[in-house]
Amino acid sequence: MSARSTACMRGQCGAIMPFAEGSFDAAMAIMTVHHWPDLRRGLSELRRVARRQVVFTWDPVHRPQLWLLEEYLPEIRELEHARFTPLPEVADALDAHTVLPFPIPHDFTDGFQIAYWRRPEFYLDPVVRQASSTFAQLPPSVVEPAIARLRADLDSGAWHRRHADLLGRQSVDYGYRLLIADG
């Protein structure tokens, strides 16, 4: 047992997770690191407890961005940019050796915010919106008028005319990435 493991067992390492070094073959963080108060410490803990780490996150400087943010809810873009760390910083903190693009398929069933890029009618559903942390953080006075504009654009066909190019695509790269490291 290492000196660090012994110190952690005595509560002296400030570790976030109550596991010994190398306890796991792999550790994964999926769309969560932007919620961590101390990114470097959290990623250090992943590296400490697992021999391999995988992080799924989003790069806030990637373009294009989802049309919903550009046309209806720029407030989401502001929230996301304030809480997501640029990808190079996350990769550096993780010491990632591989960064893989994760294009979002048009029929993605996960249900997270970006999943409906080609199915805009889903954003009209309050249950779908409640599953997204950014929608949940915005007041109804911001969300409801934006959703009313989207509904009107869908009813009039304006959304489909503006985004006809998306309707034939199988996937879109909106900046989601898998980062892989070996601790």
Side-chain angles (χ1 to χ4, degrees):
M1 183 173 291
S2 73
R4 179 173 168 78
S5 295
T6 304
C8 287
M9 288 173 41
R10 291 190 217 126
Q12 299 169 349
C13 69
I16 296 171
M17 294 187 276
F19 305 108
E21 289 179 29
S23 293
F24 305 100
D25 290 331
M28 179 180 279
I30 302 172
M31 291 302 293
T32 184
V33 297
H34 60 284
H35 292 291
W36 297 357
D38 187 339
L39 174 73
R40 288 198 174 274
R41 182 174 177 198
L43 293 175
S44 175
E45 276 299 289
L46 283 184
R47 293 178 57 78
R48 184 183 69 77
V49 302
R51 288 179 281 286
R52 189 166 206 203
Q53 307 81 38
V54 177
V55 172
F56 179 60
T57 191
W58 176 69
D59 185 2
V61 301
H62 181 84
R63 297 295 179 268
Q65 291 188 338
L66 178 64
W67 53 264
L68 181 72
L69 284 60
E70 299 296 326
E71 299 171 23
Y72 300 95
L73 284 163
E75 295 85 357
I76 289 178
R77 181 180 55 229
E78 293 166 18
L79 277 173
E80 301 290 47
H81 283 232
R83 66 187 186 165
F84 274 87
T85 303
L87 189 69
E89 292 179 42
V90 179
D92 179 62
L94 185 63
D95 196 22
H97 58 71
T98 304
V99 177
L100 300 172
F102 190 90
I104 307 300
H106 74 92
D107 57 353
F108 201 44
T109 59
D110 180 87
F112 79 115
Q113 180 178 293
I114 205 80
Y116 307 111
W117 62 267
R118 199 175 103 173
R119 299 170 289 164
E121 64 281 357
F122 278 80
Y123 294 111
L124 303 178
D125 185 342
V127 174
V128 168
R129 293 192 310 270
Q130 289 172 352
S132 168
S133 63
T134 44
F135 273 111
Q137 290 179 347
L138 293 174
S141 61
V142 170
V143 174
E144 289 170 9
I147 296 304
R149 287 191 311 275
L150 174 58
R151 182 182 312 278
D153 284 353
L154 289 171
D155 290 346
S156 72
W159 185 93
H160 288 86
R161 285 189 298 277
R162 265 196 320 273
H163 298 290
D165 63 312
L166 292 178
L167 299 177
R169 297 190 66 181
Q170 295 301 304
S171 65
V172 175
D173 181 357
Y174 280 122
Y176 290 86
R177 299 292 183 262
L178 281 170
L179 288 74
I180 303 168
D182 297 316

